[in-house]
Amino acid sequence: MMAKYNISEKKTKNAAYRELVNATLMDELKEKILDIILIRQKYKDKDYSAKQLAADLGTNTRYVSAVVNVKFRMNYTSFINKFRIEEAMTLLTDKRYAHCNMQEISDMVGFANRQSFYAAFYRLTGITPRQYKKEHSA
């Protein structure tokens, strides 16, 4: 009986998220979020918060969180970190950045500190940035 209750609880929560923002608005916000975060490379700005993004979109953080959760299936921090790590992966294997240390790479892609860079990198790839560089450098 208890397990069934837990399952229906989760469904209710997801449904509430979807009702918070209608589908059309959600798709519009998704595109605008991608434009700001990815195209304008706001993910590189370590001070760019969900609150700032919401302000730039003329909405609130609950809407931003709902869109990111539903459309990208992750929370805001994971969403931002995904772009940072993808960029770091490029920099780590680019000969032009071979002289850079991990702290410099971390700074370039927008992490506040090296520890959060390492943690996020490992979470996404299963290896450390140093291992990644070693394995993917020519």
Side-chain angles (χ1 to χ4, degrees):
M1 188 68 184
M2 192 63 186
K4 191 175 182 182
Y5 177 73
N6 286 342
I7 291 166
S8 58
E9 264 303 296
K10 190 140 183 71
K11 281 182 186 160
T12 310
K13 190 179 173 201
N14 287 342
Y17 251 141
R18 286 188 175 83
E19 286 164 20
L20 190 65
V21 188
N22 74 53
T24 310
L25 181 61
M26 198 171 264
D27 286 336
E28 268 176 41
L29 282 174
K30 176 190 174 184
E31 292 310 313
K32 288 177 181 172
I33 289 169
L34 280 172
D35 177 61
I36 292 171
I37 300 299
L38 185 60
I39 311 302
R40 298 189 212 164
Q41 299 190 332
K42 282 292 189 181
Y43 65 87
K44 289 183 181 180
D45 180 352
K46 57 177 69 69
D47 300 316
Y48 197 75
S49 64
K51 192 172 182 175
Q52 185 60 56
L53 175 59
D56 289 347
L57 292 168
T59 186
N60 65 46
T61 50
R62 279 182 62 212
Y63 278 171
V64 168
S65 292
V67 174
V68 172
N69 273 285
V70 172
K71 292 294 179 179
F72 303 105
R73 303 207 183 290
M74 58 184 93
N75 66 30
Y76 180 78
T77 305
S78 299
F79 176 69
I80 295 292
N81 285 349
K82 182 176 173 289
F83 296 119
R84 290 175 175 167
I85 297 306
E86 285 169 0
E87 169 116 358
M89 289 163 87
T90 303
L91 296 177
L92 287 167
T93 56
D94 188 324
K95 286 180 178 63
R96 291 170 299 178
Y97 299 97
H99 65 281
C100 294
N101 65 34
M102 292 304 152
Q103 182 62 57
E104 290 167 322
I105 299 284
S106 172
D107 289 341
M108 278 189 252
V109 300
F111 281 96
N113 59 62
R114 208 181 57 151
Q115 287 77 13
S116 56
F117 169 56
Y118 268 80
F121 196 98
Y122 191 83
R123 204 175 301 122
L124 201 71
T125 65
I127 57 173
T128 67
R130 209 169 294 286
Q131 281 174 291
Y132 184 86
K133 184 176 184 170
K134 208 168 109 182
E135 289 174 20
H136 294 83
S137 296

